[in-house]
Amino acid sequence: MKHVTKKNPIENLPATSSITIRKFKSLGIDTYFDLLNYFPSRYEDYSIISKINQIQVGEIVTVIGKILEVKNQYTRSRITIQKVVITDDTGIVEINWFNQPYLIRILKVGVIISVAGLVKQFGAKIMIEPKEYEIINFDVSIHRSILKHTGRIIPVYSEKKGLSTKTIRDKIFNVLTSIETQNLASLQDPLPTKIISFNNLIAEDEAYRQIHFPDSFDLANKARKRIAFDELFNLQLANNLIKKEWQKEKVGNRFNVETQDFASLQKFISSLPFKLTGDQNKVIKEIINDLKKNTPMNRFLQGDVGSGKTIVASIACYLSFLNGYQSIIMAPTEILAQQHYQSISSLFKNNKSNLKFKIPNVKLITGSTKMTKVETQNFASLQKNQYDIIIGTHALLSKKIKFNKVGIVVIDEQHRFGVEQRALLKEKSLNPHILTMTATPIPRTVALTLYGELDLSYITEMPKGRQIIKTFLVPKEKRSKGYDWIKSQITNNRSQVFIVCPLIEESENETMKSLKAVTVEYEKLTKVFSNFKLGLIHGKLKSSEKNQIMDDFKHRKIDILVSTPVVEVGIDIPDATIMIIEGADRFGLASLHQLRGRVGRSDRQSYCFLFTENTSEKTISRLNFFCKNNLGTKLAEFDLNNRGAGNIFGTEQHGFVNLKIANLADFELISKTKKAVEYFVGHYDIKDWKGLEGRIKGYQGKRILSD
Ligand code: ADP
Ligand code: MG
């Protein structure tokens, strides 16, 4: 878009109330360019402009005429009708609005209006049921290009924060025309001409015009293609450049993996109560290879729930320890940090006395950690390297903790470790190796697009002896039978049960609504399972309360734990063998899979039951697919192809993918843009492309940790 106006603050919009401006701002729209990036969700075709004597019943047309009569009519049923009669040089027609008495003040006799609507017949009378109208202060024979709401294909926007589609359309139209009248055609398109022509793209400013006010549906399509291309191109270019920058970095604390301490690592591995899987070994090799290098590792490890990522991370941390450095492990919640602390500490409890290896000191630091006076005093202990592996939440970084020689940072269940977090590390003069881990199954193509700056590792193989979790979609009429079965399982097999309440809203935060829903469900369930101990957990509890409940559950003081979906990641309760998911249709398959992964963590047979009120064929077949498939990536691919990418990431990471038009399931476009990025970095220097540089900053800036 044209340089001069794109940065114009939204406050400069002519004839716009401060209330409207505030509403735009609350949508994150601060500039003209932001506004132009608020894309329509669909279009209405009002492009047929007809003379009044030519309109046909059943047709959607735009007519333009001068108002002859205006009347407000009251009916007995309290409905008011605004009757307006207009004329052009061929005839007259009546238009009726309902319950909009204020129109009488706007639509005065003599005013010229353009109305788009459906032509209808009432008895002998032909009338127009209006969809949109606008007042035009010009001659009836004006060119249609000044029409915003009628007489063309018009954009329909999603109405948020009380902004009507009409207001949004109006403001976007003004911005586009103000850009046009400046006639700054000489300004550069952000993409090089070669890339534009090779990929058959239309110019960017044309794309912005056509995506909002298309001259045809074909052009609207071309506009979408261009903008989608740019989105994927910019995202991948941003990643590419981050990766290049990263490769110039020098690691703060160099590892020496080849020392005799390596023997200690072998002993540590031999001391484990299990044999590592092939995939675990493969990933450990990849990591060790990275750790040998002078550039910091930036690796993304993906592995299904229960695939054993923790031990892989622990081995990396152990190497760091053997090299005399500290490690930091960050989890998204305190519960998970706690769990990591417990399982990692126990990994290092050497039970095989014939194996002598160095044992690191593991420390948990959370908001609720009570530190001794000595510990608090300038954290002397940490600085003296008394603690080798420090586990906490993502808040660890922002704490005023002085770390000493950090070799590696492990981030669990966080898809983005952004530029800003890295800056935080650098502030602490650390430049460690970074290992990010997730159980979210992300199809490889998607991962390569979204995380192109990272090196990817996969664990697809599950540890031996894991049983497949038997999964069933339970029809409504079998619910109470199901409950009876669960009761017998608790009584006879000491099973523990999770019951997850439905997702109420797809929002990042747990809303009061979800809280209410879960509380109601809990009350109901306490009656159904009156002989058992139930617990309730949700995000609004204090973390000490949550810890207490999880602890009680772990120690079997609770049989059935009722929870909101927010408490979903990573909890490890080996005796929990039954997972019930209410409102299963509201979850993406990847999220369902995460939930299912809460059970099946021991060698006992585990079960997952899905409940849904939605009996549409599509839902049933989707949920049945889930019942029959246990591989996370397969489920994610299914959802990617059937429901788009939004579902893969569930609720907690919502909105971090900065793509508005492009579809991550569009593999063809992904591969096209990838090639274009390769061409770009091979032939150009980003410094000469200021427009692009500005754009990709948007992508880099969006990588923010939720914490
Ligand atoms: P996740 O990948 O979900 O973080 P964890 O690391 O928590 O999985 O591992 C899940 C469980 O599997 C743990 O109890 C862990 O001790 C166990 N485990 C990990 N690797 C193996 C293996 N190779 N063989 C058997 N059990 C394993
Ligand atoms: Mg884990």
Side-chain angles (χ1 to χ4, degrees):
M1 213 22 69
K2 309 304 185 220
H3 240 258
V4 181
T5 49
K6 87 171 190 206
K7 282 191 183 150
N8 255 359
I10 201 84
E11 283 86 351
N12 291 4
L13 279 175
T16 309
S17 73
S18 56
I19 298 173
T20 302
I21 286 172
R22 228 174 300 136
K23 287 176 182 168
F24 277 124
K25 292 201 119 180
S26 71
L27 282 177
I29 295 171
D30 294 321
T31 64
Y32 279 19
F33 190 63
D34 293 339
L35 185 56
L36 292 181
N37 281 293
Y38 195 80
F39 299 119
S41 47
R42 60 188 177 88
Y43 303 96
E44 290 288 355
D45 188 355
Y46 301 149
S47 60
I48 298 173
I49 301 182
S50 180
K51 288 291 180 193
I52 290 174
N53 70 348
Q54 314 241 302
I55 57 177
Q56 307 274 338
V57 174
E59 210 179 26
I60 289 186
V61 291
T62 296
V63 292
I64 297 168
K66 193 185 263 182
I67 298 178
L68 276 182
E69 265 181 67
V70 183
K71 214 167 36 189
N72 207 11
Q73 198 173 38
Y74 294 88
T75 66
R76 252 180 263 147
S77 50
R78 286 225 219 122
I79 291 169
T80 64
I81 307 175
Q82 291 72 49
K83 292 196 165 193
V84 176
V85 177
I86 65 167
T87 180
D88 64 6
D89 49 12
T90 70
I92 65 168
V93 68
E94 186 179 316
I95 306 151
N96 288 352
W97 277 272
F98 294 94
N99 291 332
Q100 298 175 59
Y102 64 90
L103 285 177
I104 301 298
R105 271 174 282 132
I106 304 166
L107 303 178
K108 296 206 160 110
V109 172
V111 167
I112 297 170
I113 60 169
S114 175
V115 181
L118 176 64
V119 183
K120 277 190 158 176
Q121 181 151 14
F122 292 94
K125 202 163 154 191
I126 289 184
M127 300 211 306
I128 291 178
E129 182 185 288
K131 307 265 188 209
E132 286 281 352
Y133 78 93
E134 62 195 300
I135 293 171
I136 47 180
N137 302 313
F138 293 83
D139 191 83
V140 180
S141 61
I142 40 80
H143 189 261
R144 72 171 64 180
S145 69
I146 71 136
L147 295 174
K148 304 176 198 175
H149 306 290
T150 60
R152 56 158 74 230
I153 299 169
I154 63 154
V156 179
Y157 301 92
S158 75
E159 302 189 322
K160 285 186 189 152
K161 307 267 174 194
L163 283 163
S164 71
T165 200
K166 195 156 184 170
T167 304
I168 300 169
R169 190 187 298 135
D170 191 58
K171 300 306 169 196
I172 289 179
F173 188 89
N174 289 347
V175 167
L176 285 167
T177 35
S178 76
I179 289 167
E180 232 159 70
T181 49
Q182 290 187 19
N183 197 18
L184 294 161
S186 61
L187 273 166
Q188 202 186 29
D189 191 293
L191 287 184
T193 323
K194 278 221 164 126
I195 292 180
I196 294 175
S197 58
F198 183 79
N199 291 285
N200 273 323
L201 302 171
I202 62 172
E204 194 199 40
D205 55 354
E206 176 71 359
Y208 273 100
R209 244 189 326 262
Q210 295 295 341
I211 199 163
H212 291 290
F213 293 94
D215 290 327
S216 67
F217 283 106
D218 181 47
L219 277 164
N221 254 336
K222 289 203 167 99
R224 282 188 174 255
K225 269 196 189 135
R226 168 66 208 253
I227 289 166
F229 185 96
D230 282 31
E231 283 181 342
L232 288 173
F233 179 89
N234 293 346
L235 172 63
Q236 292 178 92
L237 180 61
N239 288 338
N240 188 297
L241 296 174
I242 295 175
K243 189 162 193 171
K244 284 227 166 79
E245 282 305 306
W246 185 260
Q247 282 162 345
K248 282 187 217 150
E249 299 272 346
K250 292 275 173 291
V251 52
N253 295 303
R254 180 103 199 251
F255 281 48
N256 186 352
V257 184
E258 245 75 52
T259 60
Q260 75 267 33
D261 278 339
F262 210 53
S264 239
L265 176 67
Q266 298 305 343
K267 282 187 205 156
F268 168 50
I269 292 173
S270 315
S271 81
L272 295 172
F274 45 75
K275 216 170 144 260
L276 294 175
T277 63
D279 273 1
Q280 282 172 323
N281 276 320
K282 177 195 74 185
V283 174
I284 289 164
K285 255 193 209 135
E286 287 167 343
I287 291 174
I288 290 180
N289 240 336
D290 287 349
L291 296 180
K292 284 180 188 166
K293 291 182 192 150
N294 218 355
T295 30
M297 166 171 81
N298 198 13
R299 189 164 284 282
F300 188 53
L301 169 57
Q302 193 189 305
D304 245 337
V305 232
S307 63
K309 297 183 293 295
T310 314
I311 180 65
V312 172
S314 305
I315 286 171
C317 294
Y318 189 62
L319 269 170
S320 172
F321 159 70
L322 292 180
N323 278 272
Y325 308 132
Q326 288 184 311
S327 307
I328 301 175
I329 299 180
M330 295 191 289
T333 65
E334 295 210 347
I335 294 181
L336 285 171
Q338 184 109 33
Q339 236 169 245
H340 273 319
Y341 172 71
Q342 278 160 5
S343 60
I344 291 171
S345 311
S346 75
L347 282 177
F348 287 112
K349 281 204 184 83
N350 184 7
N351 293 326
K352 300 183 182 165
S353 54
N354 57 330
L355 293 167
K356 289 231 155 25
F357 59 90
K358 289 191 194 171
I359 302 216
N361 249 322
V362 186
K363 171 77 179 169
L364 175 72
I365 300 175
T366 64
S368 43
T369 307
K370 301 252 181 333
M371 279 192 251
T372 65
K373 214 169 171 190
V374 184
E375 280 176 320
T376 322
Q377 281 165 3
N378 74 17
F379 253 95
S381 43
L382 284 177
Q383 298 201 47
K384 272 194 231 131
N385 245 4
Q386 192 177 332
Y387 296 116
D388 306 302
I389 299 176
I390 298 149
I391 300 172
T393 64
H394 298 310
L396 259 187
L397 279 193
S398 38
K399 287 203 170 159
K400 286 194 179 61
I401 300 172
K402 272 200 173 167
F403 294 102
N404 185 34
K405 292 171 99 184
V406 172
I408 182 166
V409 172
V410 177
I411 304 141
D412 197 20
E413 284 311 334
Q414 186 65 61
H415 299 141
R416 273 289 178 226
F417 190 72
V419 174
E420 284 146 56
Q421 286 70 46
R422 231 166 263 145
L424 265 177
L425 282 177
K426 279 198 162 173
E427 259 170 44
K428 293 176 187 280
S429 26
L430 306 171
N431 208 9
H433 294 289
I434 294 176
L435 176 67
T436 314
M437 308 195 292
T438 185
T440 303
I442 307 164
R444 207 178 175 95
T445 20
V446 175
L448 284 170
T449 315
L450 292 179
Y451 312 115
E453 85 277 22
L454 304 171
D455 294 311
L456 304 179
S457 285
Y458 285 85
I459 299 181
T460 45
E461 184 186 355
M462 286 303 233
K464 275 210 186 71
R466 280 293 150 75
Q467 301 216 29
I468 281 178
I469 301 162
K470 289 192 176 158
T471 308
F472 303 95
L473 179 58
V474 187
K476 236 181 177 166
E477 63 275 12
K478 291 209 176 145
R479 181 184 283 267
S480 73
K481 253 196 177 154
Y483 283 157
D484 289 342
W485 183 83
I486 289 165
K487 286 176 198 166
S488 75
Q489 287 289 313
I490 302 174
T491 315
N492 304 330
N493 291 342
R494 289 177 55 81
S495 299
Q496 285 181 284
V497 185
F498 280 106
I499 299 184
V500 177
C501 287
L503 204 60
I504 303 286
E505 276 164 288
E506 283 219 14
S507 81
E508 259 174 65
N509 297 314
E510 199 165 58
T511 59
M512 289 315 285
K513 247 170 142 181
S514 323
L515 192 57
K516 220 172 150 183
V518 76
T519 315
V520 170
E521 183 68 22
Y522 176 72
E523 299 292 321
K524 212 171 82 197
L525 289 165
T526 45
K527 290 189 190 106
V528 177
F529 295 100
S530 54
N531 292 332
F532 300 94
K533 287 160 289 179
L534 275 78
L536 171 64
I537 194 167
H538 55 76
K540 291 277 185 294
L541 293 175
K542 284 197 211 102
S543 71
S544 57
E545 294 170 316
K546 280 190 262 187
N547 282 336
Q548 185 60 51
I549 292 169
M550 288 318 296
D551 225 49
D552 288 350
F553 195 43
K554 199 156 196 161
H555 295 105
R556 303 205 50 103
K557 289 184 198 154
I558 291 173
D559 302 308
I560 301 173
L561 185 64
V562 183
S563 103
T564 52
V566 171
V567 199
E568 76 169 68
V569 265
I571 301 159
D572 193 19
I573 310 283
D575 277 343
T577 51
I578 300 172
M579 166 62 68
I580 293 180
I581 304 168
E582 296 284 349
D585 55 293
R586 316 234 185 123
F587 294 89
L589 295 189
S591 298
L592 284 179
H593 185 61
Q594 301 270 55
L595 290 172
R596 176 166 61 184
R598 301 297 116 236
V599 297
R601 305 199 137 228
S602 63
D603 46 13
R604 288 172 58 188
Q605 179 61 56
S606 290
Y607 302 88
C608 174
F609 299 105
L610 309 179
F611 289 110
T612 176
E613 301 285 306
N614 182 337
T615 50
S616 78
E617 207 173 301
K618 213 170 158 193
T619 300
I620 302 298
S621 85
R622 198 169 73 90
L623 294 178
N624 275 330
F625 184 85
F626 177 75
C627 294
K628 290 193 196 91
N629 283 281
N630 288 280
L631 218 59
T633 39
K634 212 166 183 172
L635 295 167
E637 257 157 42
F638 182 91
D639 256 8
L640 180 66
N641 292 325
N642 291 281
R643 311 215 308 177
N647 282 296
I648 296 179
F649 301 100
T651 50
E652 75 277 11
Q653 298 278 340
H654 212 70
F656 88 99
V657 187
N658 199 10
L659 301 172
K660 291 180 178 149
I661 303 283
N663 178 0
L664 284 169
D666 188 347
F667 297 149
E668 200 185 317
L669 189 61
I670 288 176
S671 113
K672 253 190 189 174
T673 44
K674 185 167 186 273
K675 279 186 196 131
V677 165
E678 278 155 16
Y679 183 84
F680 182 88
V681 294
H683 292 79
Y684 305 92
D685 185 344
I686 184 73
K687 291 198 182 67
D688 304 328
W689 295 85
K690 293 291 169 217
L692 253 188
E693 210 175 13
R695 291 301 151 75
I696 64 172
K697 279 212 180 90
Y699 288 85
Q700 296 173 342
K702 286 270 150 65
R703 296 134 184 264
I704 301 165
L705 283 179
S706 52
D707 208 310

